[in-house]
Amino acid sequence: MGKSRPSNRSKGDRRDKERSILNSTQVPRSKTRKSQAAVDPTALLTQATALLQTGQPDAALPIAQRALALLQPASRTPTHLSLPALSLLGEIFLELGDPASAATTFLQAVSLDPDGHLPEDMGGGVEKFLWLAQLCEEGGEESIGWFEKGTEVLGRDIADLEAQIATGKKIEESQVLLQEKMRKLAAALCGMVEVWMTDLSLSPAAETACTSLITRALAASPTAPTLQTQASLLLSQCELLEARSVLSRSLSLWQDLPAEHPDIPDFPTRISLSRLLMEAGLEDQAMGVLEGLVAEEDGSVEAWYLGGWCASLMAGLGRSSEESEAGDGEDPMDESISAKEITKDDEVPKSNGGRNALLITSREWLRNSLRLYEIQDYEDDRLRDHAVEVVEQLDGILGDVADDEGAVEEEEWEEDSEDSGDNDEDDGEDGDVEAHNSGQNDDLEMNGT
């Protein structure tokens, strides 16, 4: 049988096809796989992670979603290969302020690694359980359940690392990882304490559970955040002196460290610390923490608010309506010190610069908080209402806004005038009068004026 006859195509036809290909705006199909290499899911996840770490979650989201689509096609049953993308997407949703989507994503990850046996570099591990403990809508027992699952995984990891160290394998690396796991375990245990103190506080088992959990947390990692949780528990048990001691110890662990030191607690932890210090009556220490916070981040509504509130307490204003224990039908400010009750002779520590300076500082900080509240569309009605309430009190004491700077200057001018008058009189008086005037100046110093 002869060969088949070739098709009768002219050279012109071939040239026309070549020309159309050269002039076409469409990319012809290629036998190479360069286009597939450009959408490698691992590279996409690396890119999305970098964007998330540089504060660009909006840009990271579509890239991570594309990686997930490649790792978990809709036509196939999901496998553990999609775990890295799911873990990253959960964190991106959290940064975008979408906790519902984050929880859904972490639940998908749990379905692929229900016991946390897969290693973290494959998207497994403990993180999804700890996030769900904080994100679950029910809270209470459900939250405790997720925390317990997380502590089981961490306990297993810690045992493995301790075994490696005992056998001399990668000792330095294993010790670093061990400390990290111990900190996470302590944080999870403290999270459980917080749930028992809030959602489950009416349970008969609450106090026993809290005591047991905080003991385990301190044994795992007695760091500043763990000590803060212990102090919070002690305050709830009305153990004020012991709580103050624990808070002071917590503060001493990091307050003299240089900026950027890894042992300095994060911003939210220090905000919580300032609240605890105020609750324990340690306003001086609280103000020191808050001054550091606003120097670090001057756009924090809560830091400015707490600083203003703290300064007002240091100046002698009574407890706010938030703290008041007045019953129904009573004036919530009954236990506060009104403007009429604040007098010039009330005792204020000399180191604080006197009452007027503290009251002025309080009003300035609270007004800064309220300005930022409006600019940022902040959502905390109780914070705003309390700030407005205290500012109104301060306005009744200090007067108009324009008086802020003048109040201090006028007070200093009056002192200078008195000192000048005393000196003039001294020129014409004997030694007894000089001694008497010297005693007056000593009294002025003691009063902080």
Side-chain angles (χ1 to χ4, degrees), residues 155-372:
R156 201 166 56 231
D157 293 344
I158 289 169
D160 291 343
L161 288 167
E162 288 175 338
Q164 287 183 17
I165 293 171
T167 56
K169 295 179 180 179
K170 300 180 179 179
I171 294 179
E172 186 174 346
E173 180 183 345
S174 296
Q175 286 176 336
V176 172
L177 289 173
L178 179 61
Q179 292 301 314
E180 180 184 342
K181 297 290 185 182
M182 296 289 269
R183 286 193 182 94
K184 282 187 178 181
L185 176 59
L189 294 167
C190 287
M192 295 170 73
V193 172
E194 296 292 342
V195 174
W196 279 106
M197 290 174 61
T198 53
D199 297 355
L200 303 175
S201 60
L202 298 180
S203 169
E207 186 168 359
T208 301
C210 287
T211 302
S212 173
L213 290 165
I214 197 62
T215 301
R216 290 173 59 194
L218 289 166
S221 182
T223 55
T226 307
L227 290 170
Q228 285 179 216
T229 302
Q230 183 189 19
S232 179
L233 177 60
L234 289 168
L235 286 170
S236 72
Q237 297 169 337
C238 300
E239 299 288 348
L240 180 59
L241 293 179
E242 192 172 351
R244 286 176 175 175
S245 174
V246 171
L247 285 169
S248 296
R249 190 158 74 250
S250 170
L251 194 57
S252 69
L253 293 178
W254 60 267
Q255 64 180 349
D256 295 326
L257 296 176
E260 307 300 329
H261 194 284
D263 287 344
I264 296 177
D266 61 20
F267 198 95
T269 301
R270 284 177 283 158
I271 285 284
S272 298
L273 172 61
S274 66
R275 284 184 174 274
L276 288 171
L277 289 166
M278 291 166 63
E279 186 178 350
L282 301 174
E283 288 90 359
D284 281 331
Q285 292 92 322
M287 200 66 194
V289 173
L290 291 162
E291 286 171 347
L293 289 172
V294 296
E296 179 180 322
E297 174 52 68
D298 62 3
S300 170
V301 173
E302 192 171 9
W304 284 110
Y305 158 73
L306 289 172
W309 182 14
C310 186
S312 73
L313 293 175
M314 293 167 71
L317 264 70
R319 294 191 300 171
S320 69
S321 58
E322 226 179 324
E323 296 177 296
S324 177
E325 298 175 357
D328 294 338
E330 294 179 318
D331 182 359
M333 296 303 293
D334 277 350
E335 294 187 14
S336 297
I337 299 177
S338 68
K340 292 180 181 179
E341 292 175 302
I342 299 177
T343 66
K344 186 175 180 180
D345 295 329
D346 288 339
E347 183 179 354
V348 174
K350 177 185 173 183
S351 60
N352 293 329
R355 171 167 292 97
N356 276 359
L358 285 168
L359 295 175
I360 291 168
T361 296
S362 174
R363 185 164 67 174
E364 288 176 349
W365 280 56
L366 290 170
R367 283 176 173 167
N368 283 341
S369 174
L370 291 170
R371 290 189 197 101
L372 289 168

Side-chain angles (χ1 to χ4, degrees), residues 12 58 62 85 104 122 128 143 286 301 320 366 371 415 441:
D58 289 307
T104 300
M122 294 178 60
K128 52 187 173 292
S143 180
V301 173
S320 69
L366 290 170
R371 290 189 197 101
E415 282 183 31
N441 289 336

